[in-house]
Amino acid sequence: LRVGPAKMELLLDVPMASRRGALFGFMQMEERKVVVKAVEIPIQVLPLPTEGKPPGFSGAVGDFNMSASANVAEASVGDPVAVDVLIEGRGNFDSGEAPKLSDSAGWKVYPPKRYNVDTGDPNTADLINRKLGFNSILVPEKVMSAVPAFEFSFFSPTSKQYVHLRSQPIPIT
């Protein structure tokens, strides 16, 4: 794969060369158009390996961590339990899917809602190191002692292998 060449026109404020110098304490500026060029860069893109690919792999590539927490520690059968699963790290967040419940037996599971945990100005935000949240509503259909673990798989370019994350079950009374 080749990226570039690229060219961009910029408008810069450049101090004016004036015999009088600053006017009322302010440097006089003039706007100049500057063209910045970048050369073509070759990039080697490798296919993802088929060996060791977990069944739950949905395309996420990077290095990630995962944690899960519930909004309550006690619930009755039929009460909704909100679980937030946080994925953070460095990589392509847009190609992965929400973490899956490891065992949904005894739970009514609603589709997760994705939300952005990153804060700040989106124009200056770090687009590689990110935090992404998923909110899942689970309803116990019988007496349960814990919310089951959530699972998330990705390919790590650092270790060059697939990684399968599993959260801890969340105790619930």
Side-chain angles (χ1 to χ4, degrees):
L1 178 67
R2 298 187 185 284
V3 177
K7 176 174 82 169
M8 178 180 272
E9 292 182 0
L10 304 173
L11 293 176
L12 302 175
D13 286 330
V14 179
M16 290 178 60
S18 131
R19 293 184 186 156
R20 298 190 302 166
L23 180 64
F24 302 112
F26 295 100
M27 179 68 72
Q28 290 182 322
M29 307 292 269
E30 69 178 336
E31 196 172 79
R32 286 197 191 153
K33 186 189 315 185
V34 177
V35 176
V36 180
K37 296 179 182 178
V39 297
E40 180 178 88
I41 301 170
I43 299 173
Q44 184 180 12
V45 179
L46 302 173
L48 292 173
T50 54
E51 187 177 321
K53 185 177 186 178
F57 178 71
S58 63
V61 176
D63 290 297
F64 305 105
N65 292 310
M66 179 178 67
S67 61
S69 62
N71 68 333
V72 296
E74 294 182 16
S76 297
V77 172
D79 286 348
V81 176
V83 179
D84 283 299
V85 180
L86 180 67
I87 303 286
E88 57 184 316
R90 178 179 178 92
N92 182 357
F93 279 82
D94 295 329
S95 62
E97 293 179 0
K100 306 267 190 270
L101 201 58
S102 62
D103 181 10
S104 61
W107 295 90
K108 180 170 177 70
V109 181
Y110 291 90
K113 302 286 187 207
R114 176 180 166 156
Y115 62 92
N116 193 2
V117 181
D118 299 326
T119 58
D121 182 354
N123 295 317
T124 60
D126 185 346
L127 299 177
I128 301 294
N129 297 298
R130 297 182 52 199
K131 295 178 186 174
L132 196 62
F134 295 92
N135 181 264
S136 296
I137 303 298
L138 311 173
V139 179
E141 297 175 322
K142 61 182 183 177
V143 174
M144 305 295 266
S145 61
V147 173
F150 281 81
E151 298 178 334
F152 180 72
S153 294
F154 61 92
F155 181 78
S156 169
T158 304
S159 64
K160 296 184 178 19
Q161 63 184 1
Y162 290 97
V163 177
H164 184 76
L165 298 178
R166 186 179 174 98
S167 71
Q168 293 296 317
I170 303 167
I172 191 166
T173 304

